[in-house]
Amino acid sequence: QVQLVESGGGLVQAGGSLRLSCAASGRTFSSDVLAWFRQAPGKEREFVTAIRWSGGSTYYAASVKGRFTISKANAKNTVYLQMNSLKPEDTAVYYCAATPYYSSSYYYTQIYHYWGQGTQVTVSS
């Protein structure tokens, strides 16, 4: 049973930074893709960023490129999301997700097999 547990959310002022963590258990990642999605109140869940476990290629939504950085720690089976220059529109519940195989449709929620419970990020203006 794969479990993804997010942490690191909280309240921050606009312009500030937060680092989210996603600790995985129950699976040894190899060709997997790990991703972060977010969902604001009244909106659909949207892609933020993804990383290929093997090779480390990264992908970003245009809205966060240059501000957010995804990384991984293989030995800890953990993925991180460093968020800088945060804006009020970044306010959302952030979810970690994983899929066993790379797909060029990495930005679709449907391809992900495993999801965390989410962590709230609130950016005040």
Side-chain angles (χ1 to χ4, degrees), residues 12-20 38 60 63-70 81-88 90 94 121 123:
V12 64
Q13 288 189 330
S17 298
L18 279 176
R19 188 175 85 153
L20 306 183
R38 65 186 182 186
Y60 293 93
S63 59
V64 306
K65 199 167 187 178
R67 300 189 299 123
F68 290 10
T69 302
I70 189 171
L81 179 61
Q82 178 67 44
M83 305 185 293
N84 298 329
S85 303
L86 282 161
K87 306 175 182 180
D90 294 317
Y94 283 70
V121 172
V123 185

Side-chain angles (χ1 to χ4, degrees), residues 86-102:
L86 282 161
K87 306 175 182 180
E89 50 264 44
D90 294 317
T91 295
V93 177
Y94 283 70
Y95 296 91
C96 179
T99 179
Y101 305 106
Y102 172 76

Side-chain angles (χ1 to χ4, degrees), residues 2-9 21-24 36-37 39 45 92-97 114-120:
V2 177
Q3 281 195 317
L4 303 176
V5 180
E6 302 99 332
S7 61
S21 299
C22 172
W36 289 95
F37 285 77
Q39 188 166 19
R45 193 168 299 189
V93 177
Y94 283 70
Y95 296 91
C96 179
Y114 311 110
W115 291 86
Q117 82 289 348
T119 185
Q120 177 70 47

Side-chain angles (χ1 to χ4, degrees), residues 30-79:
S30 56
S31 56
D32 302 65
V33 175
L34 280 291
W36 289 95
F37 285 77
R38 65 186 182 186
Q39 188 166 19
K43 294 189 176 181
E44 291 190 353
R45 193 168 299 189
E46 66 173 3
F47 172 78
V48 176
T49 181
I51 187 166
R52 296 181 69 169
W53 199 258
S54 175
S57 295
T58 57
Y59 311 89
Y60 293 93
S63 59
V64 306
K65 199 167 187 178
R67 300 189 299 123
F68 290 10
T69 302
I70 189 171
S71 63
K72 60 184 177 68
N74 290 28
K76 295 183 178 181
N77 237 29
T78 298
V79 173

